[in-house]
Each structure stands twice: as C-alpha cells, then as structure tokens.
Amino acid sequence: VYKELEVLGGSVKTFLGNVMVTGNLNLYAGYIQLGQYNLTIAENANVNGGGPSSFIVTDALGTVIGENMGAGANTGTVVFPVGSNTLSYTPVMISNSGMADDIKVRVIDGVWEDYNGETGLGAPQTNNAVNKTWFITETIPGGSNATITPQWSLGDELPGFNHNMCAVSHYIGMDEEWVPGPLGNANGFNPYDQTLTGVTSFSPFGVSSSGSPLGLELLSFTGQLLREDAHLKWVTTNEKDMSKYEVERSLDNGRSYGKIGSKAATGNSNIGTNNYFYTDVNVASLDAERILYRLKMVEQDGKYSYSDVVSLRLSKEVSSVVELFPNPVTGSELFIRMGERRSEELTVNITDMSGKVIATQHYAAGSYNPAAMKVDVSQLAQGIYMVRIVDAGNTTLEVLKFSRQ
C-alpha cells in the first residue's frame, strides 16, 4: 500500500505484486508496466498528470482497479490512464451512479467479432473501428449505472473510420455480439473520445463507426439526376436485425429533412452485398437549386442511425457554380471559387454531417478574392464535412461536401 506513488524522469516502474495507492498517483514522465499484477486506486485517491508520455501499461493480465465507485461512495468521474504499450495512450473515463463496486480496466491492441472471456476469436477487424478493446469489469455483477468514455488517437484508427459517425460498442455475447451505442460525432481533435451512458453490465468495449464490421456496413450511398428524376442507390453488407431504410430529403440546404419513401431491409445477411434503389420522380419541378438526401437506417428494435448526405444540383445556371479545391484536403487550407463575382459580406460555416457547426469564418465586403477564398481547416479532424456559404441577408448560396485527410 502506497500513500503516494510517482513516476518521474521517464522511468519505467514494474511491480512484484499487487499495489494500492491511497493518496496520490502522480504520472509526470514515464510508465508503470503492470505485467500480471493489479494497481488499485483507492476511493479517495487522486490521479495527477497522465498523458501520452506517462501512463499505466496493461501489457499482460494486470488491471487498474477503481475502488468503491458508485452511490454512497465515489460517484465522480475516475480517469483510468491506461495504454496497451508505451506508444499508445488510450485512457477511459468512468463514472457510476449505481450500486458501489470496484471497477477494473485494461486495454489491448486489436478488436474482434467475437470473444471468449477476454480472448478474441476469429480474424481481427481490419477497418472502420478503433483498433483497441477495453476490458471493463466489476467485482459484483449487476446494479451499476455507468457512463464510459474511451479516448484514442489518430494512429489507433483502422482504415475507413468515420469521426462524424461513431459510437462506443458493447460486446454482449456470441448471441447478440456487438451492440453499438448512439452514433454521433467524436469529441476533440486527436485525441478523440466518445461516450456511452446507461451501462448496466460489463464486458469488452470498442469504438465503431458508420460502416463498421461491429454492426451494419453501409458500403456506399450515391445518387444521380437522369432527366427529371433523382436515382439513389445504396449497397450494404453484414446486415443483422435491420428493419428498413427510410429515404429523407431536404430542400432547404439541410436545415430540415422529411421522409419521402422507405425500403424494407433484406434481413439478416453476412454473406455478399445487398443493393437497394429508390427513385425520387419529377424532382426537376421542385422549387430548389439543390436537393440533399440521407438514409435513416432503422433496426428491428427501433434504434437508428443516419448515412452521409448525397447532394444533387438542380440549377442549370453555370455562372452560379461554386467549387471547392483541393478536395479531399490534405493541408491546412481549403479554397472556394465562386462562380460569379460578389462584393458583399459572406459567411462560411463548416458543419459535420449531422449539421453541427464546427467552424465559422466571416469575409467582409471587398476583403476576399471570389476566385480563391481561403478557409482555415487546420483544426479539423479527418472526416467528411459540409461547407455552407451564406450572404449578408442570411440566404444560403451554396452547400458543398468535402473530406479532410
């Protein structure tokens, strides 16, 4: 038992047995490698410091234990400053408003479709997820009501991971397998985090995104105008417990959407792909220059998530075309080329795919070149975003999509 335990000067501490800290755990520079042993953070102890250069490495079966977390004891948020190796800091923040219990945490590299205890089964996942599994358990099963917030960095992500549509997923067991929480935007800019509330049982946890193998995989959603009609197509695989796909349309540049049709899901299928088609007829007569479409993907239990947005232009006026370049963006600047010269004040809003404003830039009249307006995107995480250009009268001139890589 230690009242205070410090890691300073880049040192690496290893344990010869289980350790409890009752006062302060100070992580300033260096690492604790647990090996086979456990580190318990007492109910009234504090964790100070902690970060990419100083944390607890769960390199074997040892765990970090938060003592007596819950009602009548420690109901605050406890930071478990863990990582699977010294190059990967992936902490998890946990609070429990339910029955007080000791909560144990360790994290490993990799994420699998199935688990036997804490052993992954089959081939590891290779895309659309964070490449980590957080094992979170409690001493006495039942009675908890926890909020869990895992954190990760860009280098922990597998190809195709989508920051704008991700969720904490909970492995329930081989019958139900992975159950994702509500899809939404990841918080932060490298590192990122996502939250799952109302956790009443524990087992492996991961972070998945729209298109993840930890649930339905939407391979593509596309659209095109042919004569008077809009033709939409989407392709899925790994469908499980899906009910239907509702097609939603916006005629006001994404401010509001309305359901215009629905397609029943093929059902449980994890072999091959499923192709769906929907035609929105006579859209050329609509009073809009641009139509936005999205899919509401509804599961049999009523849970749902949204696809990315497909944007189709109805306007035939070439002079009003607005272009973004480069797209995708790999540097710190995005450029907007206006199709016609303008001299009034303009505002550029960058939103995520749910419509949340991420950044705003104002351009005073006469202060910009309409052929190459610069937009600073250096603080944006990798992902898909929308640019909304608004004039001085708060009229939306254009909505375009771009990706940040």
Side-chain angles (χ1 to χ4, degrees), residues 85-198:
N85 59 73
T86 58
L87 300 178
S88 178
Y89 179 54
T90 50
V92 59
M93 287 65 76
I94 303 175
S95 63
N96 179 27
S97 61
M99 184 183 299
D101 203 346
D102 293 348
I103 294 180
K104 307 174 184 180
V105 171
R106 74 182 185 97
V107 62
I108 65 169
D109 293 323
V111 59
W112 287 263
E113 183 176 354
D114 287 304
Y115 291 81
N116 181 10
E118 295 187 358
T119 301
L121 300 179
Q125 304 296 343
T126 58
N127 54 43
N128 298 321
V130 174
N131 195 34
K132 301 288 178 181
T133 300
W134 287 266
F135 294 110
I136 304 174
T137 58
E138 57 187 346
T139 300
I140 303 173
S144 292
N145 185 5
T147 296
I148 296 175
T149 303
Q151 178 183 297
W152 69 94
S153 297
L154 188 63
D156 301 314
E157 298 172 0
L158 294 169
F161 185 81
N162 183 357
H163 296 113
N164 299 313
M165 196 68 72
C166 65
V168 177
S169 292
H170 185 191
Y171 182 80
I172 300 298
M174 296 187 68
D175 291 334
E176 296 186 45
E177 300 176 349
W178 286 99
V179 177
L183 286 166
N185 301 295
N187 302 305
F189 296 100
N190 197 24
Y192 310 95
D193 65 71
Q194 185 59 285
T195 296
L196 180 64
T197 61

Side-chain angles (χ1 to χ4, degrees), residues 180 215-218 234 236-246 263-269 274 276 295-306:
L216 166 74
E217 187 168 358
L218 179 64
W234 59 98
T236 72
T237 188
N238 196 34
E239 286 193 2
K240 181 177 174 61
D241 299 327
M242 291 301 297
S243 172
K244 59 184 175 179
Y245 301 91
E246 296 181 354
K263 289 284 185 177
T266 298
N268 292 335
S269 172
N274 305 304
Y276 298 89
L295 295 176
K296 183 177 181 180
M297 302 175 287
V298 184
E299 299 179 27
Q300 291 178 4
D301 61 2
K303 294 180 180 178
Y304 63 88
S305 60
Y306 287 105

Side-chain angles (χ1 to χ4, degrees), residues 343-369:
S343 58
E344 78 270 37
E345 176 185 343
L346 294 179
T347 299
V348 173
N349 293 318
I350 298 178
T351 71
D352 60 27
M353 299 308 294
S354 69
K356 178 182 178 182
V357 177
I358 303 297
T360 298
Q361 288 188 223
H362 300 283
Y363 299 84
S367 68
Y368 58 88
N369 179 359

Side-chain angles (χ1 to χ4, degrees), residues 21 31 39 57 82 106 124 127 143 145 191 221 335 356 358 369:
V21 177
Y31 308 93
L39 171 59
V57 180
V82 296
R106 74 182 185 97
N127 54 43
N145 185 5
F221 177 40
F335 293 88
K356 178 182 178 182
I358 303 297
N369 179 359

